[in-house]
Amino acid sequence: MALAGRAMATFRLALIQLQVSSVKSDNLTRACGLVQEAARQGAKIVSLPECFNSPYGTNYFPEYAEKIPGESTQKLSEVAKECGIYLIGGSIPEEDAGKLYNTCAVFGPDGVLLVKHRKLHLFDIDVPGKITFQESKTLSPGDSFSTFDTPYCRVGLGICYDIRFAELAQVYAQRGCQLLVYPGAFNLTTGPAHWELLQRGRAVDNQVYVATASPARDDKASYVAWGHSTVVTPWGEVLARAGTEEAIVYADIDLKKVAEIRQQIPIFSQKRSDLYAVEAKKH
């Protein structure tokens, strides 16, 4: 598999903004159908949203949790191989050794599992009068960085709340990632305030493409997702964006822009490493 240094310059990315229901089998069937449609439209890397196979909520995680490999990831493996694409499997509730994780499984064009990202930062927040949520009631955090190589570029993974932590994106940039993908489900409080802002910030800070895949909005759900799956350029421009309905977002990623912007504004060579550093504690 080619690494970033020998990469092809352009490729099509697709984000699946899936309408998630309470019926897992329906979610899997529709997700795979939309992945197939994205591949027919030329997408080479496709991402599903956070919690694509189940409703989002601490009460749902134990009920819908699976081992990996399991029913949902087997379907993802099959459709990735059938379509010959790189498939970022959004996330599912994963059960392993009695613990639950919010986990993204990525599959290559041969259907092989490339990497498994467990959400590092758990969504425990309290905005009085608006939203209180505690993922840590049921979930455990992951403890590893997650990147994978394609013939186009190296990709770094985070899940939703992970995007708020700038250090994670910086570590990925240091490791040669040119595209960061965050399946996520911001809500009607944090979405309008911070969803696009955080994506543009991570993109500009690290001179990388940033993509976020959200579930479609369901106003009747106990947790209402913001939607607006988005792709942002290394210059901080919104390249493509969905609304709130189920949709596929396409963006043609031009990696020459990464090199051009890094040459024009050479922040990496200008960092004051004599004064500060962001470094990974684990590899």
Side-chain angles (χ1 to χ4, degrees):
M1 190 182 299
L3 299 183
R6 302 187 299 277
M8 301 177 210
T10 60
F11 66 93
R12 176 162 282 193
L13 172 70
L15 309 176
I16 309 292
Q17 186 161 290
L18 183 70
Q19 188 75 61
V20 178
S21 77
S22 59
V23 182
K24 183 188 283 189
S25 59
D26 288 353
N27 295 330
L28 293 175
T29 298
R30 207 161 62 259
C32 290
L34 290 169
V35 169
Q36 290 166 333
E37 171 62 20
R40 283 195 292 271
Q41 297 301 319
K44 302 301 182 186
I45 301 178
V46 179
S47 181
L48 289 164
E50 182 181 26
C51 263
F52 84 90
N53 72 343
S54 77
Y56 182 79
T58 52
N59 55 320
Y60 297 110
F61 298 147
E63 177 186 351
Y64 285 78
E66 301 178 16
K67 292 190 179 301
I68 295 177
E71 175 191 4
S72 296
T73 49
Q74 181 60 35
K75 293 278 190 192
L76 298 183
S77 170
E78 290 169 2
V79 75
K81 185 174 183 179
E82 173 195 334
C83 296
I85 58 164
Y86 291 86
L87 179 56
I88 299 167
S91 79
I92 66 169
E94 179 200 7
E95 189 278 318
D96 183 33
K99 289 185 176 181
L100 298 180
Y101 302 91
N102 189 343
T103 303
C104 175
V106 179
F107 296 89
D110 53 4
V112 170
L113 178 67
L114 298 178
V115 71
K116 187 170 76 169
H117 179 75
R118 289 171 170 168
K119 191 174 189 174
L120 300 176
H121 306 91
L122 297 184
F123 184 57
D124 288 5
I125 68 159
D126 182 14
V127 183
K130 293 188 175 179
I131 183 169
T132 300
F133 202 91
Q134 270 197 298
E135 276 190 326
S136 64
K137 280 184 177 178
T138 53
L139 298 180
S140 296
D143 63 0
S144 61
F145 302 105
S146 303
T147 67
F148 65 96
D149 289 310
T150 75
Y152 318 105
C153 64
R154 180 168 292 164
V155 181
L157 295 174
I159 297 174
C160 199
Y161 199 49
D162 286 340
I163 199 173
R164 288 189 181 268
F165 298 85
E167 297 85 351
L168 177 61
Q170 290 175 48
V171 168
Y172 285 154
Q174 289 169 7
R175 295 185 175 191
C177 295
Q178 294 177 292
L179 168 65
L180 306 184
V181 180
Y182 297 89
F186 273 39
N187 53 69
L188 300 191
T189 297
T190 62
H194 300 146
W195 176 248
E196 184 180 308
L197 175 68
L198 286 163
Q199 295 170 61
R200 294 179 70 191
R202 296 296 84 87
V204 170
D205 283 350
N206 300 287
Q207 298 175 324
V208 295
Y209 282 91
V210 173
T212 54
S214 170
R217 190 176 302 176
D218 178 0
D219 291 315
K220 300 186 182 70
S222 58
Y223 180 96
V224 182
W226 174 238
H228 299 289
S229 301
T230 304
V231 182
V232 177
T233 73
W235 192 254
E237 300 164 307
V238 173
L239 186 59
R241 183 200 292 119
T244 61
E245 308 294 322
E246 183 169 273
I248 305 176
V249 179
Y250 297 100
D252 291 322
I253 304 297
D254 183 359
L255 296 167
K256 292 195 299 296
K257 287 189 182 302
V258 175
E260 288 168 4
I261 289 164
R262 290 180 178 183
Q263 186 173 26
Q264 293 163 8
I265 305 178
I267 58 173
F268 291 104
S269 63
Q270 294 170 334
K271 285 182 183 288
R272 288 294 302 275
S273 56
D274 57 322
L275 296 177
Y276 55 79
V278 171
E279 56 187 26
K281 297 286 184 80
K282 292 187 70 169
H283 295 274

